[in-house]
Amino acid sequence: MTTLAIIGAGQGLGLAVARRFAREGLSIALIARDQARVDELAATLVAEGHTAAGFVADVRDRPSLVSALEQAASRLGPIEVLQYSPLPAKEFMRPVLETVADDLVGPVEFSIYGPATAAHQVIPGMRSIGGGTLLFVNGASAVRPRDGVTGTAVAFAGESAYAELLHGALASEGIHVGQLIIPLGIGGGDPAHEPDVLADTLWTMHAEKGDFRVYAAPLPD
């Protein structure tokens, strides 16, 4: 059995994606900062007949992220799919003229160093099993910078560039890298943004290994 590791697992998109991939036979590693939260999510999945476990990491603490991914692979099986989708902190989101250099440290650690750490940790295992998928989930500011969320917009742009470079570098090895842009946030009544629909989209991205960037819905004007 191979594993889907969800970094930033929660009750919404994380749980929906976990269920979708678990139905296809993958074990599920749920990674977040709160042990009680990931244990609760894992217990829900286990009660539904799936294989799952929770692991603790802070994406801004690179050793903790490496440790969580190592533990997940050891306990559940090699990581075939990695989803990087932690929710950015509110303090990352300020108007551009109120954002100074120090304000960009957290977003860069969160959205550039974190993905790079996670990717380099799981790529060797994907190579050993002959393929895999890295999925990056972002809001619209990753492709259309918006004042008011400066730190996140800047860091998401870096994450996007890094992920797209990985896409080009790994495609020949059977490792797909994809980015899902969710323009209007998760939920909120728009059917295209509901967790179960997004989970289906992410499964399709993994299964079909198509284009690098996929939009959950068109960007608003």
Side-chain angles (χ1 to χ4, degrees):
M1 180 177 286
T2 58
T3 300
L4 160 69
I6 302 174
I7 298 174
Q11 286 284 351
L13 180 62
L15 184 56
V17 172
R19 284 176 167 142
R20 182 67 182 85
F21 280 73
R23 291 200 303 270
E24 303 291 341
L26 280 78
S27 58
I28 308 299
L30 302 149
I31 301 172
R33 291 181 297 175
D34 187 327
Q35 184 74 63
R37 181 174 75 174
V38 292
D39 286 347
E40 180 181 355
L41 293 172
T44 297
L45 293 167
V46 170
E48 295 172 357
H50 306 304
T51 301
F55 305 89
V56 171
D58 181 339
V59 299
R60 295 178 63 186
D61 178 353
R62 282 174 271 172
S64 79
L65 187 52
V66 168
S67 177
L69 291 167
E70 287 178 340
Q71 292 175 57
S74 176
R75 181 170 171 181
L76 298 173
I79 295 172
E80 180 183 358
V81 184
L82 174 79
Q83 176 176 305
Y84 193 89
S85 54
L87 188 65
K90 290 182 179 179
E91 59 264 28
F92 297 169
M93 303 178 190
R94 294 175 178 161
V96 64
L97 295 180
E98 297 176 14
T99 300
V100 299
D102 285 347
D103 294 325
L104 298 177
V105 173
V108 167
E109 290 176 339
F110 191 91
S111 295
I112 300 177
Y113 296 171
T117 299
H120 278 273
Q121 180 61 31
V122 302
I123 287 168
M126 292 179 181
R127 285 173 168 154
S128 73
I129 62 174
T133 303
L134 296 99
L135 297 168
F136 296 89
V137 180
N138 298 105
S141 63
V143 291
R144 183 182 289 174
R146 180 169 62 86
D147 190 21
V149 294
T150 301
T152 294
V154 169
F156 274 4
E159 180 180 343
S160 297
Y162 174 71
E164 190 164 6
L165 290 168
L166 283 181
H167 172 79
L170 293 171
S172 63
E173 300 184 50
I175 299 173
H176 178 63
V177 182
Q179 181 187 45
L180 176 61
I181 301 295
I182 306 175
L184 302 178
I186 298 166
D190 184 328
H193 290 69
E194 290 302 313
D196 287 345
V197 175
L198 296 170
D200 281 337
T201 299
L202 288 160
W203 170 258
T204 299
M205 291 170 68
H206 164 61
E208 297 184 357
K209 295 179 169 49
D211 294 337
F212 164 66
R213 181 170 292 136
V214 173
Y215 292 85
L219 293 179
D221 293 333

